[in-house]
Amino acid sequence: MAALKSSEKFIQRLREQPKFRKFHDVMPFRVHEILLVSSLYDAFCLQEEVHLTEQVLLQYRELQLTMAPRFTHVSSDDAAFDALDARDFDMILAVTRLPDSRLIDFGRKVKEQYPEKPFVVLAFDDVHLVNLQSHIT
């Protein structure tokens, strides 16, 4: 709850500042490495249909940033923890249809071991969102 209050204060402070100042406040949170945890099929769909990396790159160019984040893909929760142990990732991006595991269990385990690391979930349809909401406390 304290983290939520802190985030709300930070956002309020950003809204009150001039636009040129906002960029400098957000820069310490810049994302360089993203770990994508999904099936091979979902990774293919994100790349070929959604053009995820291109969209991120375009957003970075629009903001006149020089280096877009690098995506590293793994296809299981075990491989994700091996990657997290081997390299420092700024964010974990997981899809709702994880092969060989349950997303809720994986997410809880990630937050236990890496409580400060952002964990973002991509849902492909509303059914997955409803299922997630019923498990989140």
Side-chain angles (χ1 to χ4, degrees), residues 35 80-89 92 106-119:
L35 179 63
F81 285 108
D82 290 342
L84 287 164
D85 290 340
R87 194 159 81 213
D88 186 32
F89 290 93
I92 302 163
F106 174 62
R108 285 189 177 129
K109 191 174 175 184
V110 167
K111 288 317 253 178
E112 285 173 9
Q113 293 184 20
Y114 305 95
E116 299 298 320
K117 203 163 293 288
F119 184 83

Side-chain angles (χ1 to χ4, degrees), residues 95-97 121-133:
V95 298
T96 52
R97 302 180 298 214
V121 176
L122 291 176
F124 291 100
D125 57 40
D126 291 339
V127 173
H128 291 123
L129 288 176
V130 170
N131 287 339
L132 275 176
Q133 287 174 340

Side-chain angles (χ1 to χ4, degrees), residues 35-85:
L35 179 63
L36 173 62
V37 186
S38 71
S39 68
L40 291 172
Y41 175 76
D42 287 335
F44 176 80
C45 289
L46 287 170
Q47 182 58 37
E48 296 299 318
E49 294 176 17
V50 179
H51 304 288
L52 181 65
T53 52
E54 286 91 354
Q55 287 185 18
V56 170
L57 182 61
L58 288 173
Q59 287 295 316
Y60 266 66
R61 284 186 182 160
E62 203 171 284
L63 293 170
Q64 298 179 354
L65 299 173
T66 55
M67 289 180 50
R70 179 170 58 174
F71 285 83
T72 300
H73 174 256
V74 295
S75 56
S76 72
D77 53 351
D78 290 335
F81 285 108
D82 290 342
L84 287 164
D85 290 340

